[in-house]
Amino acid sequence: MEKAKKTTKKYSKSQWALLFMAGLGVVFLLVFNYAPMFGISLAFQSGDYVIDVRDAILNSEFVGFDNFKKFLTDPEFIDVVVNTLGLNVLSLVLTFPAPIIFALCINEVKNKRFKKVVQTVSYFPYFLSWIVFGGIVLSMLDSQTGIVNEIIVKLKLAAGPVNFGLSEYFWGLIIVTGLIKGVGWNSVIYLAAIAGIDASMYEAAEIDGANRWNKMWFITLPSILPTITVYLILAISGLLNSGFDQIWVFRNQMNLDRSEVIDTYVYKHGILKNQYSYTTAIGLLKSVIALILLTVSNAVSKKIAGRGIY
Amino acid sequence: MKRAKNLKGYSVFDRLLVVFFTLFALLMIYPVYYVFVGSFNRGLDYISGGVYLFPREFTFDNYRVVFADGGLWRAYFITVSRTILGTFTAITFTSIVAYAMSRKELPFKKIIYFINIFTMFFSGGLIPFFLLIKTLGLYDTYALYIVPCAYSVYHMIIISNFFRSLPEELREAAVLDGAGEFRILFSVAIPLSVPVIATVSLWIAIGHWNSYFDAMVYTSSEGLVTLQFYLMKLINSQNVNVGAITLPASVTENLTAEVVTFATIVVSILPVMFIFPFISKYFEKGIMMGSIKG
């Protein structure tokens, strides 16, 4: 009796309440995030085409790394990996700096009202779904009725209307539309960082005779560097994550060889063809590589810039 | 060059910036304007091209077809209801956890924090999650749109950071009045955190409004089709869904899938367009608050 009382006394009533509240989150994560991790065992089993999940996990045979081997020797493997990495590395290189440049430039605009309007308008495409935005872009690119092809033909940029549905345009489409849709919104975080810079630094620099460029280069940019680092690390760890929504909208029968990425491949073979074990293995491979990328880029950042995200 | 400098202290660079950003802003707006114009144009006429700035053969017929499309309204209802219900559930649930995580005296705080953070960096992948949804019996149910979206670690961290910045004295006053933790959360912490609660709610709401992946992967019945999923099928099918209403031949002869799809797109983004000017400033504020932790 005495002992039981002591253990309940260990925490106050309000601490128990807090524990309950935080516990709700833990229970949620255990169900929706940790329970699926047990399903990873499927990656090492022969559970393809098994309808009942419990049956697949409990009763199917262990096959070691066979599922991984199957993926590595699949004729589509090279294309899928090249598309995933190529597309993501290219869009990282091209679209990562864009919001930073946008933020630095819009920060130089003197007219406050004009700045505000441009900023607000720049967020707009972000709030449209990829279905809507992509659908509109495809109409604008249409070879007969689209404005883009009209401009191309009028300015004689090409021999005739361009069919943007072909493979060779797919990566370009993804990168350009990603840029347009995200640049304004992604700049907000950098603008927030710029807003937090101590104004006295600029005043001191002005007294020392610094011009606009000096201030941008020696004060603004170094001040937002920590923010840039954090987002760069996160972007690198997401290198295998394609924007499924975006790719799904722009892909068609003609550009499959350039539009099939890991995420669409897993969807196609896993969800549509019930190859659960095979695609779980691919998903696992992806998760592990993402974790490695995160750890490595964080370590590199800590070494070079002296800071990481954890 | 010199003359430009004399103009109210605006240098060439300043003027270039204004020109650039004006063009940029037009580029941001134009796609939606384009679809708007097309949606008011007659279908057969649209095919001949050149409808970029104003409708050439003006008509409401495309909208007549859209308004009579029962499938669209059912999808609209699903999306509106899941957005309201899903946002309310998620913001309540996430705030409760965020409140506990913002308190220093929470027992096992380090372990609980780790359990949360780990999920941001590692996941079981699509297929195990799909199998979980099936096992839980959530597959092809309406609850699928609400329950798995009820909690997000990222949102929890943002709200939790804000709660931490609230003055401690207010809480002490509430404790003296005999309030428990839930009372303090709902009558002190949340009312004082309206900006961040509003921002995160809007993020969640936009996510619900725009999602189609969950409908495509985890449902199979017609009755659960969401607005975006409906649009996707419409865009892919390239068919005119005249359905329930009977239109005069002069109208149907003129209809094409493309302009009807345009009208459907316009109808689907109207709520976002109306709300956007009022909410955009909140979004910005929210990101700034979330970024304080760096």
Side-chain angles (χ1 to χ4, degrees), chain A residues 11 14-15 17-22 24-26 28-29 31-37 40 42 53 102 105-106 108-110 114 116 118-125 127-129 131-132 136 139-140 144-147 150 180 183 185 188-189 192 212-213 244-245 248 266-267 270-271 276 279-280 287 291 294, chain B residues 9 11 13-14 17-18 21-22 24-25 28-32 34-35 46-47 52 93 96-97 99-100 103 105-108 112 115-116 118-119 121-123 127-132 147-148 151 181-182 185 203 206 210 212-213 216-217 228 231-232 235 258 262 265 268-269 273 276 280 283-284 287-288 291:
Chain A
Y11 299 121
S14 89
Q15 276 181 309
L18 291 175
L19 204 52
F20 173 74
M21 291 161 124
L24 290 175
V26 173
F28 180 96
L29 294 175
V31 173
F32 288 102
N33 295 70
Y34 287 94
M37 289 182 198
I40 287 175
L42 269 175
V53 185
F102 181 84
C105 285
I106 195 89
E108 293 295 322
V109 171
K110 284 178 181 161
F114 178 70
K116 192 84 225 141
V118 171
Q119 246 176 286
T120 308
V121 166
S122 74
Y123 307 151
F124 186 58
F127 293 101
L128 303 176
S129 70
I131 301 289
V132 166
I136 299 175
S139 303
M140 290 171 69
Q144 264 131 52
T145 55
I147 183 167
E150 175 103 7
I180 294 175
V183 66
W185 178 247
V188 177
I189 192 80
R212 248 161 128 166
W213 303 106
F244 185 97
D245 286 19
W248 202 251
V266 166
Y267 172 73
I271 308 283
Y276 297 142
T279 46
T280 301
S287 291
L291 198 59
L294 179 80
Chain B
S11 67
F13 178 66
D14 286 320
L17 276 180
V18 170
F21 279 119
T22 307
F24 178 85
M28 294 290 130
I29 297 279
Y30 184 71
V32 168
Y34 180 86
V35 82
Y46 180 84
I47 292 174
Y52 307 134
F93 194 94
I96 291 173
V97 182
Y99 176 74
R103 303 301 313 166
E105 64 270 27
L106 170 71
F108 307 113
I112 297 174
I115 291 173
N116 276 277
F118 185 72
T119 62
F121 299 134
F122 189 80
S123 81
I127 301 301
F129 189 78
F130 174 77
L131 298 176
L132 173 85
V147 180
Y151 180 61
E181 296 296 340
F182 275 93
L185 167 63
W203 286 346
I206 286 286
N210 283 344
Y212 76 90
F213 187 77
M216 181 169 94
V217 178
Q228 304 299 331
L231 275 177
M232 186 180 101
I235 292 170
E258 191 145 37
F262 285 172
I265 287 178
S268 86
I269 60 176
M273 281 174 68
F276 180 75
S280 57
F283 282 97
E284 207 176 310
I287 276 218
M288 291 190 188
S291 70

Side-chain angles (χ1 to χ4, degrees), chain A residues 4 7-8 13 29 69 76 84 99 111 122 127 135 145 149 153 155 159 182 196 223 225 233 236 241-243 260:
Chain A
T7 45
T8 48
K13 205 177 134 211
L29 294 175
K69 279 181 209 151
E76 278 190 82
T84 309
N111 187 325
S122 74
F127 293 101
T145 55
N149 264 309
V153 171
L155 296 181
S223 303
L225 207 57
I233 294 172
I236 289 172
N241 279 333
S242 310
E260 193 80 280

Side-chain angles (χ1 to χ4, degrees), chain A residues 51-71:
Chain A
I51 308 296
D52 185 68
V53 185
R54 222 164 313 158
D55 197 38
I57 295 180
L58 295 178
N59 299 330
S60 45
E61 213 186 313
F62 274 86
V63 292
F65 286 90
D66 280 7
N67 291 311
F68 297 89
K69 279 181 209 151
K70 189 178 159 196
F71 181 50

